[in-house]
Amino acid sequence: MIVMKFGGSSLESAAAVERVAGIVRRALARKPVVVVSAMGKTTQQLLTMGEEAVAGGPGENRSLERLRALREMHEREIGALLPASSQGEFRRTLDCHFREMADLRGQLAALSEFAPESVDALSSYGERLSSCLIALVFPHFGINAAHVDARCVVLTDARHKVATPLYSQTYARARDKILPLVSQSKVPVLGGFIGATESGVTTTLGRGGSDFSAAIIGAGIAAEEIQIWTDVDGVMTCDPKLVPDARRVKTISFAEAAELAYFGAKVLHPSTLLPAMEKNIPVVVLNSRRPDVSGTRIVAESVPCSSVIKAISCKRGIHIVNIRSTRMLMAHGFLHRIFEIFSRAETAVDMLASSEVSVSLTVDDPARLGDICQALREFSEVSVEKHQAIVCIVGDNLRHTPGVAARAFGALQGINIRMISQGASLLNLGFVVAARDAEKTVKLLHQEFFRSADPAVFD
Ligand code: ADP
Ligand code: ASP
Ligand code: MG
């Protein structure tokens, strides 16, 4: 058994869905379980539609128009792949989902708030719809598909927009719902990104969460491999949108890939590797437009590599919080007090630097920053700097190669580096720079570290 996850860009058009069907058909002997994202940019459209509906005024009409355009896109791209015999069921599926979305939109327009439960309810429709439609299309391409509602499999807590799966129950449900279908030679098709609480309320796993769904399901059914099919050749030495000549990394360890994902490599949702690591299931990242390229194999151990780093990540939207307190000078318990405040606000800290009287740290989610600063100001001076980015170089060899920091600093002359951190894992070296310098920072580091790269690991 393998899990095959297809992202939004792999499902954006009739031609893309047809390519996906070909890829799944060629894998039938390996007993695939398919996890799909919403088609194209549907999730973003749904979220924008919700915001417009809540805003009211001219937004109201725009939200109606957006919903109409979404229906048209699904109707056109999927309709083109279905014969007359399936058109009736196709219409019924569209009618039912779009009626519910229209009802939700109407309810939001009557409210003044787009609450997290509503965000999840609305954004879940992208995957709910795509999974039904793909299951409808597959039989016409020789695939005996069976739709499974992912909300009956992925059980989560009630933290809307960033729900966490309850692993043991989810694994048990995955086995119960999926294995019988596979043993009947069916190909289960599930939507990624979505789950439900014990009481059946729809939740989502966070933007980009379909990768995570694939890994959870793969771990639950003890798949031999989890495949993430996307729009690039694999994990690359950095985002190819920033550096077009980024190279493909043929193989990388779980720990290295997890670090990259956490620090901004969008190709994998940050939590994807946890379930795979725990069950030691290889994750393979592949390009649905170039299925013959062998992609990136993510496994427990990294192979010997003469290059110092494997890749560079970049995470924007970072805020630096500077906390200064002369009164607390040398006092024990200062950091404890600070972290307690962040912990109460459920806000993760990515990087930290301290001096005798001050601490600087970075957060990527500013939602609770107002409350946090207010609490910190009770015992310190606080300032916040917005529009920052974290650029990380990542690789197992960083642990035992001297002089890497000097090389990085040499390459970054002229860039104002605001903070530096050698990750506790010893797998990464991170730099905080102004967001406007991020692209240049990535390019300079890429030039320095990948001028010549070990052909055993890089394409
Ligand atoms: P999908 O819709 O398939 O989930 P995403 O857009 O979420 O695809 O992720 C793929 C994108 O991740 C690529 O198009 C690329 O721009 C971006 N990306 C960022 N860092 C990397 C990296 N190191 N390697 C490959 N892709 C990366
Ligand atoms: N459709 C969701 C998103 O756009 C989940 C995913 O694609 O992984 O965030
Ligand atoms: Mg993604």
Side-chain angles (χ1 to χ4, degrees):
M1 265 180 317
I2 59 172
V3 172
M4 307 177 86
K5 176 262 168 176
F6 296 92
S9 57
S10 298
L11 300 163
E12 68 189 357
S13 63
V17 172
E18 194 170 345
R19 263 195 310 268
V20 163
I23 292 168
V24 174
R25 194 180 47 230
R26 284 193 292 280
L28 284 178
R30 297 183 75 188
K31 299 185 193 293
V33 173
V34 173
V35 175
V36 291
S37 287
M39 289 178 68
K41 307 239 178 292
T42 300
T43 309
Q44 190 51 54
Q45 295 295 334
L46 288 170
L47 291 169
T48 309
M49 180 185 97
E51 277 154 19
E52 287 168 346
V54 167
E60 173 95 51
N61 276 338
R62 281 202 299 274
S63 73
L64 280 167
E65 189 41 51
R66 216 174 281 283
L67 190 59
R68 213 170 294 136
L70 268 181
R71 175 161 182 147
E72 260 171 42
M73 183 275 278
H74 285 87
E75 210 164 287
R76 183 181 63 239
E77 303 302 333
I78 298 295
L81 298 169
L82 293 170
S85 61
S86 288
Q87 293 289 340
E89 195 179 350
F90 175 45
R91 301 259 149 230
R92 279 193 296 280
T93 307
L94 286 178
D95 286 347
C96 153
H97 285 85
F98 278 96
R99 197 178 312 121
E100 290 174 18
M101 279 185 257
D103 285 349
L104 254 176
R105 198 213 62 83
Q107 285 162 24
L108 286 172
L111 297 171
S112 55
E113 189 199 8
F114 196 14
E117 303 89 276
S118 310
V119 171
D120 279 356
L122 189 60
S123 61
S124 69
Y125 276 95
E127 273 75 4
R128 284 159 71 175
L129 185 57
S130 67
S131 56
C132 287
L133 297 179
I134 298 296
L136 202 58
V137 164
F138 272 1
H140 303 289
F141 290 86
I143 302 161
N144 186 9
H147 180 255
V148 177
D149 189 335
R151 294 171 301 162
C152 302
V153 174
V154 181
L155 181 71
T156 73
D157 64 11
R159 288 187 68 208
H160 285 283
K161 293 167 74 180
V162 282
T164 302
L166 307 179
Y167 286 98
S168 57
Q169 291 103 310
T170 297
Y171 289 170
R173 289 176 181 204
R175 285 191 297 274
D176 289 352
K177 303 265 178 212
I178 294 172
L179 296 184
L181 295 170
V182 175
S183 55
Q184 293 162 39
S185 299
K186 293 199 169 136
V187 175
V189 178
L190 299 95
F193 182 54
I194 58 176
T197 62
E198 187 83 69
S199 50
V201 179
T202 299
T203 52
T204 68
L205 304 174
R207 293 303 308 274
S210 296
D211 304 326
F212 189 22
S213 302
I216 296 163
I217 290 163
I221 61 171
E224 63 177 90
E225 188 171 291
I226 296 159
Q227 299 181 345
I228 305 292
W229 290 84
T230 183
D231 61 351
V232 286
D233 283 350
V235 175
M236 311 292 285
T237 47
C238 71
D239 187 343
K241 289 191 181 103
L242 294 181
V243 179
D245 57 355
R247 322 250 310 248
R248 174 170 63 99
V249 186
K250 295 183 206 168
T251 173
I252 189 167
S253 71
F254 284 135
E256 289 169 317
E259 205 84 16
L260 280 173
Y262 185 78
F263 283 108
K266 189 185 168 216
V267 64
L268 290 171
H269 179 279
S271 305
T272 310
L273 296 162
L274 296 174
M277 242 161 156
E278 195 191 87
K279 305 270 172 172
N280 198 14
I281 304 172
V283 175
V284 187
V285 181
L286 295 145
N287 189 345
S288 67
R289 291 173 197 171
R290 307 205 314 149
D292 296 330
V293 176
S294 58
T296 299
R297 220 177 150 70
I298 309 173
V299 289
E301 296 293 329
S302 60
V303 303
C305 174
S306 64
S307 304
V308 185
I309 63 166
K310 294 277 169 51
I312 303 166
S313 65
C314 175
K315 188 168 171 181
R316 291 170 204 268
I318 298 292
H319 291 61
I320 302 181
V321 184
N322 299 303
I323 304 153
R324 191 182 151 80
S325 174
T326 41
R327 266 192 301 134
M328 296 300 289
L329 181 68
M330 309 282 260
H332 61 82
F334 183 40
L335 281 178
H336 175 74
R337 209 163 157 190
I338 291 175
F339 278 113
E340 210 166 36
I341 290 169
F342 280 86
S343 156
R344 260 204 317 271
E346 297 185 344
T347 297
V349 170
D350 286 337
M351 254 193 203
L352 174 93
S354 68
S355 80
E356 207 177 6
V357 288
S358 64
V359 174
S360 293
L361 39 81
T362 66
V363 299
D364 65 0
D365 176 6
R368 304 285 306 276
L369 219 44
D371 298 340
I372 291 172
C373 290
Q374 197 179 356
L376 291 169
R377 285 199 176 103
E378 284 175 18
F379 60 93
S380 57
E381 291 165 29
V382 183
S383 64
V384 174
E385 295 169 72
K386 298 181 187 169
H387 310 300
Q388 307 293 313
I390 297 180
V391 176
C392 280
I393 58 176
V394 175
D396 200 29
N397 282 346
L398 280 175
R399 289 175 212 253
H400 27 71
T401 314
V404 182
R407 261 180 87 182
F409 284 123
L412 295 180
Q413 274 170 29
I415 301 264
N416 184 16
I417 301 172
R418 302 293 328 281
M419 278 169 72
I420 310 152
S421 157
Q422 163 106 51
S425 64
L426 303 180
L427 290 179
N428 84 61
L429 183 60
F431 306 92
V432 179
V433 297
R436 63 175 176 279
D437 292 334
E439 186 168 341
K440 190 165 174 209
T441 304
V442 171
K443 285 192 162 113
L444 290 170
L445 289 170
H446 198 267
Q447 237 167 44
E448 171 65 30
F449 287 99
F450 293 106
R451 214 172 305 141
S452 65
D454 187 343
V457 173
F458 303 94
D459 208 4

